[in-house]
Amino acid sequence: MGRVMSVAERLMTLCYLNFFADSAPEVLRHTLFVTDGPLALHGPLAPLKRRFVEHLGDLASWCAARDLVAPLMVGIEKSGAFVEHAEQICEWIPVGHVMRLTNDYINRISGRSANNHYGVDEFYGRRFIYRTQAGDPLVITVPAAAGLSPYDGSSDVEGWSAFPTIRLICEVLDSLRTRMYQHAVIPVALAHSAAALPLGVGRSVLTMMAQQNIPGLKLDMQAVQPPTYFKK
């Protein structure tokens, strides 16, 4: 189910991109698509990454031919090794600046061998650390320009020109920061609040469902009792 959800979320983003491109191309100029987590597909889903890179590249070329900004997409990580590392080195990144993570650097901090080709099979965006104007770090992934794969190892993708949308994306993220929790931006915080069950209610509902479907448990052990007017 987790894999299905992961792919569905990303396909929905592509569907919205295609819809706006077909019906209202100017909307692409004013819309930032935010993914909760990195722009990557792991494990059995990884082969889909190549199709995502191709599709986003074709869409970026289509936008360029019409003098439109390439689709603005970003993945934001809230936890994990790179978020922890960003916290540790935050003071060495000037406020409002982006740190590009080279392949050698990633291998070193993640304990991989020096010749490991990191991210080439999974990522359709490249990982950066951005220190916001508020001073806190955000670990983000941003798609490369048309015709480039974020971690293909070529010299073309190692320069800043390979990521033409990153400046605009960082400027928008500065306006969306929230202190509701660490490494949060408003769209992700709102999505979580809309989708998540409150802790107490969620626990009661899941407990009741389990007790109703596990043979041998008594219904009167339910965490949530039915209203008295239902009892006859």
Side-chain angles (χ1 to χ4, degrees), residues 4 6 27 56 83 94 114 116-117 128 155 157 174 212 219 224:
V4 171
S6 180
V27 173
L56 292 173
V83 172
N116 175 63
H117 297 292
F128 299 87
S155 57
V157 82
D174 270 323
Q212 286 180 333
L219 289 180
V224 178

Side-chain angles (χ1 to χ4, degrees), residues 29-75:
R29 193 190 302 272
H30 307 290
T31 305
L32 173 64
F33 293 86
V34 182
T35 295
D36 182 10
L39 300 182
L41 294 160
H42 299 283
L45 306 178
L48 290 173
K49 166 260 178 183
R50 293 191 295 272
R51 301 300 181 219
F52 275 65
V53 169
E54 292 171 3
H55 188 84
L56 292 173
D58 290 343
L59 190 54
S61 297
W62 183 90
C63 288
R66 289 156 179 79
D67 197 28
L68 296 171
V69 177
L72 301 177
M73 292 184 64
V74 63

Side-chain angles (χ1 to χ4, degrees), residues 190-202:
L190 291 177
H192 275 278
S193 66
L197 286 171
L199 184 61
V201 174

Side-chain angles (χ1 to χ4, degrees), residues 36-38 75-90 101 109 127-129 136-140 182-184:
D36 182 10
I76 301 178
E77 300 177 55
K78 304 191 302 299
S79 60
F82 286 90
V83 172
E84 294 173 4
H85 183 72
E87 290 283 356
Q88 293 170 349
I89 66 169
C90 177
L101 307 179
I109 68 172
R127 186 181 267 123
F128 299 87
I129 298 175
D136 52 334
L138 284 178
V139 178
I140 61 176
Q182 275 191 310
H183 314 294

Side-chain angles (χ1 to χ4, degrees), residues 87-231:
E87 290 283 356
Q88 293 170 349
I89 66 169
C90 177
E91 296 301 319
W92 282 271
I93 305 174
V95 170
H97 284 63
V98 175
M99 178 180 178
R100 181 172 57 85
L101 307 179
T102 65
N103 193 67
D104 290 341
Y105 186 88
I106 290 174
N107 286 336
R108 189 163 70 250
I109 68 172
S110 60
R112 293 176 170 85
S113 61
N115 59 355
N116 175 63
H117 297 292
Y118 178 82
V120 67
D121 293 322
E122 302 92 1
F123 281 77
Y124 58 99
R126 178 132 185 176
R127 186 181 267 123
F128 299 87
I129 298 175
Y130 173 53
R131 190 176 184 192
T132 67
Q133 294 293 341
D136 52 334
L138 284 178
V139 178
I140 61 176
T141 46
V142 178
L148 298 175
S149 183
Y151 288 102
D152 64 10
S154 68
S155 57
D156 293 335
V157 82
E158 294 301 321
W160 290 107
S161 59
F163 301 91
T165 62
I166 191 168
R167 183 186 184 95
L168 182 55
I169 286 172
C170 289
E171 290 175 352
V172 174
L173 290 179
D174 270 323
S175 68
L176 297 175
R177 295 290 292 114
T178 175
R179 296 189 180 277
M180 292 176 69
Y181 53 84
Q182 275 191 310
H183 314 294
V185 293
I186 291 172
V188 175
L190 291 177
H192 275 278
S193 66
L197 286 171
L199 184 61
V201 174
R203 176 182 178 278
S204 297
V205 169
L206 293 175
T207 299
M208 182 175 64
M209 290 175 61
Q211 291 176 340
Q212 286 180 333
N213 288 281
I214 297 176
L217 291 182
K218 298 179 181 179
L219 289 180
D220 60 4
M221 292 172 61
Q222 291 181 137
V224 178
Q225 293 292 331
T228 55
Y229 48 80
F230 282 156
K231 297 178 180 178

